[in-house]
Amino acid sequence: MTCTLCDAPIDLTLSYPHPMSFSVDHTLALASGGDPYDQRNLEPAHLIHNIQKSDHANWHLIDTSNWITGEDP
């Protein structure tokens, strides 16, 4: 499975709250009227990138490669 926000693989063995764990991104933010249950509005994402994106329509990926230490949070 690939993160739709950064195009990198998602390691499904990582669990919340690890920043690189799986989360569901709403393509059209709920705050902007996105349907929370419409399959067409749901995409896989790393938790950290989904948090960064938040409900912003025009967001830019922040380089988080130096944030990860390899240790569990």
Side-chain angles (χ1 to χ4, degrees):
M1 183 176 303
T2 303
C3 175
T4 57
L5 301 176
C6 76
D7 294 324
I10 299 172
D11 182 348
L12 297 177
T13 64
L14 299 175
S15 57
Y16 178 87
H18 193 285
M20 297 302 281
S21 65
F22 169 82
S23 71
V24 175
D25 175 49
H26 293 91
T27 307
L28 178 59
L30 303 180
S32 298
D35 185 339
Y37 305 109
D38 186 343
Q39 294 290 323
R40 296 169 295 181
N41 195 37
L42 306 177
E43 296 181 328
H46 290 116
L47 178 62
I48 189 67
H49 300 144
N50 201 355
I51 291 169
Q52 288 173 351
K53 178 184 171 192
S54 185
D55 62 355
H56 305 291
N58 296 318
W59 78 287
H60 300 297
L61 182 66
I62 298 170
D63 180 11
T64 59
S65 60
N66 62 344
W67 294 9
I68 307 304
T69 63
E71 300 175 4
D72 288 333

